[in-house]
């Protein structure tokens, strides 16, 4: 795998982790405010939904680099290593295509929602921000998966959680 893709994916995951920590901190403060002073953070549920969606999209590329997605190998455990690698190549290509399709449609959705002026119910935040924030993570996930599909199709080893990649 190209090292720049690994580094970029790791950076996205670190940013996603920071977003998740921010959401967790905000939730604690909101719950404490609700319990102690009957004053939660306004829009905490909206912010949690937006933040976790962003976190997930930012962490997807690193999960793909590490090949940490769930694999159900019930039907393939008796196949040869090469056959399994070919099926993994097809799976990675399909995942790459799906992620790129989702990135494209999220970008189109962001433009459409921006034109419509749609905003969140409580905080009145522009909804296009949410759609647009998902695009980079989905696009990078798609790119990583397509690179892995090409490597697997050539029979080249692909990194994973057990392949000795630096963590």
């Amino acid at each position: 795998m190209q090292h720049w893709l690994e580094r970029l994916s790791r950076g996205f995951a670190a940013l996603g982790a920071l977003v998740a920590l921010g959401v967790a901190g905000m939730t604690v403060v909101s719950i404490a405010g609700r319990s102690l002073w009957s004053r939660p953070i306004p829009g905490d549920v909206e912010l949690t939904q937006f933040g976790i969606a962003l976190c997930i999209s930012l962490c997807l590329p690193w999960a793909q680099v590490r090949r940490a997605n769930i694999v159900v190998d019930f039907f393939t455990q008796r196949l040869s290593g090469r056959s399994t690698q070919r099926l993994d190549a097809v799976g990675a290509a399909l995942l790459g295509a799906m992620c790129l399709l989702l990135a494209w449609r999220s970008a189109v959705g962001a433009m459409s929602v921006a034109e419509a002026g749609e905003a969140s119910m409580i905080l009145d935040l522009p909804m296009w921000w949410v759609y647009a924030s998902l695009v980079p993570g989905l696009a990078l996930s798609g790119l990583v998966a397509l690179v892995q599909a090409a490597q697997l199709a050539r029979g080249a080893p692909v990194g994973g959680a057990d392949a000795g990649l630096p963590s």
Side-chain angles (χ1 to χ4, degrees), residues 1-165:
M1 168 90 42
Q2 277 71 13
H3 292 294
W4 67 272
L5 276 176
E6 289 179 30
R7 284 194 302 273
L8 187 58
S9 296
R10 186 186 306 226
F12 272 39
L15 184 58
L18 288 175
V19 170
L21 285 172
V23 167
M26 182 218 39
T27 301
V28 168
V29 169
S30 186
I31 290 170
R34 183 181 324 250
S35 297
L36 299 174
W37 304 287
S38 296
R39 294 192 49 98
I41 294 175
D44 59 347
V45 173
E46 283 181 356
L47 293 172
T48 298
Q49 291 170 339
F50 299 164
I52 296 303
L54 175 60
C55 172
I56 290 168
S57 76
L58 290 173
C59 290
L60 282 174
W62 184 242
Q64 186 60 32
V65 163
R66 302 288 293 176
R67 297 186 64 192
N69 297 312
I70 295 173
V71 175
V72 179
D73 61 357
F74 178 76
F75 296 106
T76 61
Q77 59 189 189
R78 295 183 197 261
L79 295 178
S80 69
R82 183 65 185 137
S83 294
T84 302
Q85 193 170 21
R86 287 183 185 134
L87 286 173
D88 286 346
V90 170
L94 290 172
L95 178 68
M98 183 198 68
C99 285
L100 291 176
L101 176 67
L102 287 171
W104 167 55
R105 294 311 301 168
S106 294
V108 170
M111 291 184 282
S112 177
V113 168
E115 276 181 27
E118 190 176 328
S120 67
M121 191 177 294
I122 296 170
L123 295 177
D124 201 34
L125 295 173
M127 288 299 294
W128 72 267
W129 292 356
V130 178
Y131 288 86
S133 72
L134 301 178
V135 173
L138 290 169
L140 183 56
S141 294
L143 180 60
V144 167
L146 291 179
V147 167
Q148 286 178 336
Q151 288 175 321
L152 288 163
R154 287 194 318 267
V158 175
D162 57 348
L165 288 175

